[in-house]
Amino acid sequence: MLYVVTLTYLRAAAEIEAQLDTHRAWLIGHARAGRILVAGPLDSGAGGLILAHCQDRAELDQMLGQDSFHVHRLADYHVQAFTAALHAKAFAAQWAPQAKAI
């Protein structure tokens, strides 16, 4: 299942910055494991966005619970699950096997 996760910062920038290295390490670890497909900060500076691929919501919730931003209550997470209907040919088919490549 694919998930769009929007993070909204709850604390001052200095508190976010203090945990940024551990947050990035968490992102990198899950990207290498194939669970985070793409991630980055929002242009507004108010948070970030993650496109994730997990077997189910329980796996996603376990993953998010390990993020230092969650552990230190620095961000709120809004999760939306979706089923891909189509994808660009360059998008790995394993992430959205039911989607039609265009």
Side-chain angles (χ1 to χ4, degrees):
M1 178 68 66
L2 291 169
Y3 298 91
V4 175
V5 182
T6 306
L7 285 72
T8 303
Y9 298 144
L10 301 173
R11 305 289 176 109
E15 293 180 72
I16 300 299
E17 185 68 30
Q19 293 299 323
L20 200 51
D21 287 343
T22 55
H23 174 71
R24 284 183 182 141
W26 173 82
L27 289 169
I28 290 166
H30 287 287
R32 287 184 176 149
R35 288 183 290 275
I36 292 180
L37 310 179
V38 65
L42 298 175
D43 286 347
S44 68
L49 187 129
I50 297 169
L51 178 60
H53 177 259
C54 294
Q55 292 301 311
D56 53 34
R57 179 63 190 258
E59 180 183 8
L60 177 71
D61 288 343
Q62 180 184 22
M63 180 181 83
L64 295 175
Q66 298 168 353
D67 181 10
S68 62
F69 284 4
H70 173 78
V71 171
H72 297 283
R73 295 184 171 92
L74 299 176
D76 186 31
Y77 298 77
H78 181 261
V79 177
Q80 292 184 328
F82 73 98
T83 301
L86 58 91
H87 65 81
K89 286 187 180 187
F91 190 84
Q94 70 193 35
W95 297 332
Q98 71 284 3
K100 179 182 176 183
I102 57 169

